[in-house]
Amino acid sequence: MKKTGMMWGLCVAMGLSAISFAGERFSSSVSLDATARRFSGNLGTARNGSDSLSYMWCASTGSGVGWCHARDAAGVTLSCATTDAGMLATIRSLNSDSRIEVLYDSAGMCTFIYVATGSHFETKGP
């Protein structure tokens, strides 16, 4: 009986914690760090921002070249290029509501590209 009560309590606690995260949303504007050679942000937040300068995008070609670019509200831009098959696949997995994080080296070559897509990221408005 004592174990059953503990199990019910655990189930209720788990259910309440799930409810507290329902509909969670994250906004993340374009963030640039030239010293650390990185940029990141949510594509939806960049699109929906109140400034007219911020953007983020990545593109790839069928010949195996890809690029990622970002510009913040101050007009500062950072970008990198890649021919790495894994990073190209990551670029191709982007959609308009994704979050991206990019690291690059001193030669302007991308060294890491991270893409996440989920219901908790701000979606792109009109």
Side-chain angles (χ1 to χ4, degrees), residues 2-44:
K2 192 173 186 178
K3 286 184 181 180
T4 303
M6 286 177 28
M7 290 301 292
W8 277 108
L10 180 60
C11 289
V12 169
M14 288 173 56
L16 290 175
S17 68
I19 291 169
S20 69
F21 291 108
E24 188 171 36
R25 295 186 180 135
F26 295 109
S27 293
S28 179
S29 57
V30 177
S31 173
L32 307 179
D33 186 339
T35 303
R37 294 194 291 266
R38 65 173 297 279
F39 52 93
S40 63
N42 294 356
L43 298 181

Side-chain angles (χ1 to χ4, degrees), residues 42-93:
N42 294 356
L43 298 181
T45 306
R47 168 69 177 193
N48 300 336
S50 59
D51 70 86
S52 61
L53 294 176
S54 295
Y55 66 71
M56 296 184 75
W57 62 270
C58 293
S60 66
T61 68
S63 60
V65 179
W67 304 268
C68 287
H69 297 262
R71 180 170 67 186
D72 66 12
V76 176
T77 61
L78 295 178
S79 64
C80 63
T82 187
T83 56
D84 178 84
M87 284 189 258
L88 288 168
T90 301
I91 287 171
R92 292 174 182 143
S93 75

